[in-house]
Amino acid sequence: MLKQIRPAISVLAFMTLVTGVVYPLTVTGVAQLAFPAQANGSLLHNQQGDVLGSALLAQPFEGAQWFQPRLSAGGYATVASGASNLAPSNPALAERIAADAQRLQAEGQGAVPMQLVTTSASGLDPHLSPAAAQFQIARIAAARGIPAASLERLIEQHVEKPLVGPAVVNVLALNLALADNSPPAKAE
Amino acid sequence: MHSYDFTLILAFFVLVLLPAPFIGRYLYRVMEGEKTWLSPVLQPVERLCYRIAGVDSNREQDWKTYSLALLAFTLISLLTLFAILMLQGSLPLNPQQLPGLEWTLAFNTAVSFVTNTNWQAYSGEAQMSYFSQMVGLGVQNFVSPAVGLAVLVVFCRGIARRSSNSVGNFWVDLTRATLYGLLPFCLVLALLLVWQGVPQTFLEYVTAHTIGGTDQVVPLGPAASQIAIKQLGTNGGGFFGVNSAHPFENPTAWSNLFEVASIILIPAALLFTFGHYVKDLRQSRALLACMLILFSVGLGGTLYAEHQPNPALAALPIEQSGSLEGKESRFGTTASALWAVTTTAASNGSVNAMHDSFSALGGMIPMFNMMLGEVIFGGVGAGLYGMLLFVLIAVFLAGLMIGRTPEYLGKKLEAREVRLLVATLLVMPVGVLVLGALAASLPGPASSVSNPGAHGFSQILYNYTSGAANNGSAFGGFGANTPYHNLMIGLAMLLGRFGYILPILAIAGSLAAKKRAPVGSNSFPTHGPLFVTLLTLTILLVGGLTFLPALALGPIAEHMTMFQGF
């Protein structure tokens, strides 16, 4: 065994250099040249250049005038992200969902979409299904005093339909569009 | 299920199966030291490695020396990683100034990455510096599957060689597996992932001022490079705490497809590598058929279970569909179920949804996949050597039935090999049932469960299975970061790794030394439908039956209570 210690140390040191330093640096170099926006976290800026968030991370939105993202077990904390890990048989899950369903239920709107009463896996799910976004139109239209049809159109403009996954809309993108079109001051 | 669900599943199988014969042949050439199209670039690097290490690449080792080299490498890796994790507070590349880990957590994490398990009792973005991620964990992400691949090719050589004392050179196998076998694929996948939105930067976390009026810290880091090897090397240890469910680890439906296919890309290809070693690709196709049967049944079952509405929510005014608790919108139910089955069939252990919140049966199937010893594709190298053990057991059983000395591809299986085979059969029962029962019966450790009733027991069962099977996925509500679980799951991981590797190297050594008997008309053919059936049943009966009583106490009890029967 002792005879093997020297090659063990040198091979590990060598592999550390190749796979632990050269490899990530190479990927970083190419990524920063080819895809700088994505490589730096898909950050969104305003006209002054301030960072408003990442297109990929959900943000909490207070108030009826905004689209609400998926619920987050970790309160939208980014460090560290987290899930509820509630079992399907856990009574706490049914109780929480019952309370949220009652809160969200709206006259003449039918069943509350599953996405609006369940917490996501990451707690930072940036997307909603189009149906879950549309479910919020009546509330937002009333809060902002704008026609429902314009919100309908807004959602349609933001729907992404990948070939290999469900259609989604990005909630932050919707809310940024709302903020542009009708400054929050007017809504308040 | 929608049309995109079927497109996804089809695309997954195409991405895995279509390149498998080609990658399999490439890996055979790599591991046998032949020239490949990457040789002009990589050969100088490879030679440099041998020169630094003082390794004569032409000198082969017998199985004992090979095992000692492997153990020495593992030991040095363990000590190095343990030291990095304890000392990260004083090491560079730590923009968030994270302190070193507590010692049982450092031990657990070091064992976890060295054994290719990647069980995570920590949360990456909150506890790991960039240095620990890259230089510590990232390196083991490469070398631990390379060790698995090395052990597999030793097994292949054992079957293929005649009257030979040597089985290869560990340092050469390790180096070539890493440089040629893993690195090129990772470069491609890492860039695909950045394109889809995975960060790759050394800048510190950014603070955003949201239009909602709050501040949000955006965690960053060299994530894409690590996620690529995490998927391709069947590692599974996430850069971020919630693993591939995190929008930065897995931003789109496309990144999800690339990542889930990468989990079994190399394990599927290795079936063909084996075929090239034994000069009989029919053997590869037979093993592939067996794996596909087990995989498809598991996938079908999990998809069915996850698309069922939860009966506990039936009276509520909500959409009655499969539960989305712990699932991401961009994946939905189907992609989450596909991932769960793939990651546990292989010993990957990354997750894109929270298995703890899966339906009782939807969570049981991934658990069962692991209990079989992760032989359905399985980890890089580890899956196929586990499968080959079952093949030898099936051949032995067939030999008993027809009253002849069992023989596989011309190699006779005698008392010594069968004794070693039986020893490997004890690994999973000891790791899962003994250690799991201990955790369930001690009041302190048992209090780590977070869900009431039968599901609480499922959490213990799942997590000890994950450790012993070197998977690394979790029923995540379980409070795993306690000194007891850190040490005991650490033990389960070591047992699950070396309880297989050492007997396999011994079997390979003894097979290599044997003559190859001519395959005659009396030999039991190991490539037809009859053998595939026998092998599948052997895996289910020998591997699975042991765990049925434990499953009855956990997920089956939970299901029966919720659905009032089946």
Side-chain angles (χ1 to χ4, degrees):
Chain A
M1 181 117 172
L2 280 177
K3 257 173 64 189
Q4 305 297 340
I5 294 289
R6 185 198 151 198
I9 294 173
S10 352
V11 171
L12 182 65
F14 186 82
M15 288 304 167
T16 301
L17 194 68
V18 173
T19 65
V21 179
V22 175
Y23 161 70
L25 286 179
T26 310
V27 175
T28 308
V30 179
Q32 290 289 342
L33 283 176
F35 314 108
Q38 293 98 311
N40 293 313
S42 308
L43 299 177
L44 301 171
H45 300 87
N46 63 10
Q47 270 143 2
Q48 290 77 46
D50 304 324
V51 179
L52 298 175
S54 165
L56 293 174
L57 300 184
Q59 297 176 358
F61 280 94
E62 299 272 331
Q65 74 274 29
W66 300 110
F67 282 98
Q68 303 294 324
R70 295 280 304 275
L71 298 172
S72 168
Y76 302 96
T78 50
V79 182
S81 47
S84 79
N85 282 309
L86 289 173
S89 58
N90 194 331
L93 177 70
E95 279 162 29
R96 193 201 73 208
I97 291 182
D100 282 328
Q102 204 180 9
R103 179 172 58 81
L104 292 168
Q105 218 179 352
E107 198 80 16
Q109 284 252 66
V112 181
M114 182 57 94
Q115 288 201 340
L116 294 180
V117 291
T118 46
T119 64
S120 62
S122 61
L124 296 169
D125 188 343
H127 296 113
L128 282 177
S129 67
Q134 281 154 0
F135 191 84
Q136 307 188 34
I137 286 180
R139 185 195 72 225
I140 298 167
R144 290 187 175 261
I146 52 176
S150 69
L151 289 170
E152 195 79 62
R153 251 197 327 278
L154 181 71
I155 293 174
E156 259 168 51
Q157 284 162 1
H158 285 86
V159 173
E160 302 157 41
K161 284 186 183 158
L163 199 58
V164 291
V168 287
V169 285
N170 187 304
V171 179
L172 183 55
L174 291 178
N175 283 336
L176 285 173
L178 283 180
D180 279 350
N181 293 341
S182 53
K186 194 174 140 194
E188 276 161 12
Chain B
M1 304 240 309
H2 301 90
S3 61
Y4 56 77
D5 291 329
F6 292 102
T7 317
L8 169 71
I9 292 171
L10 184 71
F12 166 78
F13 280 111
V14 168
L15 277 181
V16 168
L17 296 178
L18 216 58
F22 305 102
I23 299 176
R25 185 159 174 275
Y26 166 77
L27 289 174
Y28 169 74
R29 296 176 63 89
V30 164
M31 297 313 286
E32 286 308 287
E34 293 177 23
K35 276 219 167 2
T36 68
W37 63 279
L38 285 169
S39 299
V41 187
L42 290 176
Q43 208 160 39
V45 185
E46 187 191 348
R47 291 212 178 116
L48 183 64
C49 180
Y50 301 148
R51 187 157 350 125
I52 293 172
V55 167
D56 177 358
S57 60
N58 292 318
R59 207 160 122 198
E60 294 217 328
Q61 301 160 325
D62 62 18
W63 77 267
K64 282 183 188 151
T65 316
Y66 199 101
S67 309
L68 285 178
L70 187 151
L71 287 175
F73 184 72
T74 305
L75 186 70
I76 297 294
S77 294
L78 252 178
L79 294 174
T80 309
L81 184 52
F82 182 73
I84 290 176
L85 296 176
M86 294 282 289
L87 302 174
Q88 70 171 4
S90 339
L91 293 169
L93 271 181
N94 185 8
Q96 304 310 121
Q97 295 173 359
L98 298 166
L101 303 186
E102 178 265 327
W103 79 269
T104 60
L105 181 59
F107 165 78
N108 180 281
T109 308
V111 169
S112 171
F113 278 74
V114 168
T115 57
N116 195 235
T117 309
N118 301 39
W119 169 261
Q120 296 178 288
Y122 63 90
S123 184
E125 65 272 47
Q127 281 166 287
M128 286 292 164
S129 72
Y130 292 173
F131 185 87
S132 296
Q133 294 266 21
M134 259 171 51
V135 179
L137 307 179
V139 174
Q140 287 305 319
N141 279 349
F142 275 95
V143 293
S144 67
V147 168
L149 187 49
V151 173
L152 172 69
V153 298
V154 168
F155 205 167
C156 295
R157 289 174 191 143
I159 295 169
R161 290 184 178 183
R162 300 152 201 208
S163 316
S164 163
N165 280 325
S166 61
V167 291
N169 183 315
F170 175 72
W171 306 112
V172 174
D173 288 344
L174 176 71
T175 306
R176 291 186 67 89
T178 309
L179 293 181
Y180 295 81
L182 296 166
L183 210 49
F185 295 103
C186 288
L187 277 171
V188 176
L189 181 62
L191 292 174
L192 277 175
L193 291 179
V194 179
W195 170 50
Q196 286 297 307
V198 178
Q200 180 73 24
T201 170
F202 288 98
L203 299 179
E204 60 190 56
Y205 297 178
V206 171
T207 301
H209 305 288
T210 70
I211 51 169
T214 52
D215 279 358
Q216 184 187 41
V217 176
V218 178
L220 296 169
S225 55
Q226 186 134 333
I227 292 161
I229 182 59
K230 155 199 136 183
Q231 296 305 106
L232 284 163
T234 54
N235 292 290
F239 194 88
F240 300 103
V242 290
N243 213 297
S244 282
H246 199 289
F248 272 166
E249 284 216 10
N250 194 358
T252 65
W254 287 106
S255 67
N256 188 66
L257 172 64
F258 302 147
E259 288 186 21
V260 73
S262 299
I263 294 177
I264 57 170
L265 182 75
I266 293 178
L270 285 174
L271 285 166
F272 293 91
T273 308
F274 169 67
H276 285 288
Y277 268 101
V278 299
K279 310 253 174 306
D280 184 358
L281 286 173
R282 293 174 308 175
Q283 307 295 335
S284 308
R285 288 192 281 268
L287 298 184
L288 180 62
C290 172
M291 289 182 180
L292 281 176
I293 291 169
L294 291 168
F295 187 91
S296 306
V297 171
L299 178 61
T302 309
L303 279 173
Y304 172 78
E306 284 311 295
H307 277 284
Q308 294 299 309
N310 180 347
L313 309 177
L316 300 179
I318 58 166
E319 179 191 359
Q320 294 297 316
S321 66
S323 173
L324 290 173
E325 184 73 9
K327 295 191 179 78
E328 296 282 293
S329 311
R330 62 196 177 284
F331 310 141
T333 302
T334 300
S336 303
L338 173 64
W339 188 297
V341 173
T342 313
T343 194
T344 52
S347 79
N348 187 276
S350 60
V351 293
N352 76 347
M354 294 302 138
H355 295 184
D356 216 349
S357 298
F358 270 32
S359 64
L361 296 185
M364 179 180 82
I365 292 169
M367 209 182 317
F368 191 67
N369 277 346
M370 295 189 285
M371 286 167 172
L372 295 180
E374 311 212 303
V375 294
I376 314 169
F377 296 104
V380 169
L384 186 51
Y385 65 61
M387 179 53 119
L388 287 171
L389 288 176
F390 276 117
V391 168
L392 296 187
I393 292 166
V395 167
F396 174 66
L397 292 177
L400 288 181
M401 284 187 254
I402 55 175
R404 288 174 50 87
T405 311
E407 189 182 293
Y408 182 55
L409 301 174
K411 289 294 173 82
K412 284 198 163 51
L413 299 183
E414 288 158 308
R416 176 180 154 79
E417 290 85 50
V418 175
R419 266 201 300 274
L420 289 162
L421 275 179
V422 172
T424 64
L425 285 179
L426 293 176
V427 171
M428 285 303 290
V430 170
V432 177
L433 298 178
V434 176
L435 295 182
L438 211 57
S441 36
L442 296 172
S447 68
S448 284
V449 304
S450 66
N451 282 299
H455 194 91
F457 178 71
S458 300
Q459 286 186 309
I460 297 177
L461 187 61
Y462 190 103
N463 293 341
Y464 275 83
T465 305
S466 174
N470 288 172
N471 183 275
S473 68
F475 271 10
F478 187 78
N481 186 12
T482 68
Y484 178 87
H485 293 302
N486 279 339
L487 295 174
M488 292 308 263
I489 295 178
L491 184 67
M493 293 188 283
L494 285 172
L495 179 72
R497 182 75 163 173
F498 296 100
Y500 283 103
I501 285 185
L502 295 176
I504 283 168
L505 290 174
I507 294 174
S510 116
L511 288 180
K514 287 174 199 269
K515 288 201 197 76
R516 193 164 184 184
V519 181
S521 56
N522 283 333
S523 314
F524 183 67
T526 51
H527 55 259
L530 182 64
F531 184 74
V532 172
T533 313
L534 178 70
L535 178 60
T536 310
L537 290 177
T538 305
I539 293 169
L540 290 175
L541 293 180
V542 178
L545 207 55
T546 327
F547 299 102
L548 202 59
L551 290 173
L553 294 176
I556 296 178
E558 186 187 11
H559 179 85
M560 300 286 256
T561 333
M562 291 183 74
F563 284 78
Q564 312 284 313
F566 272 101

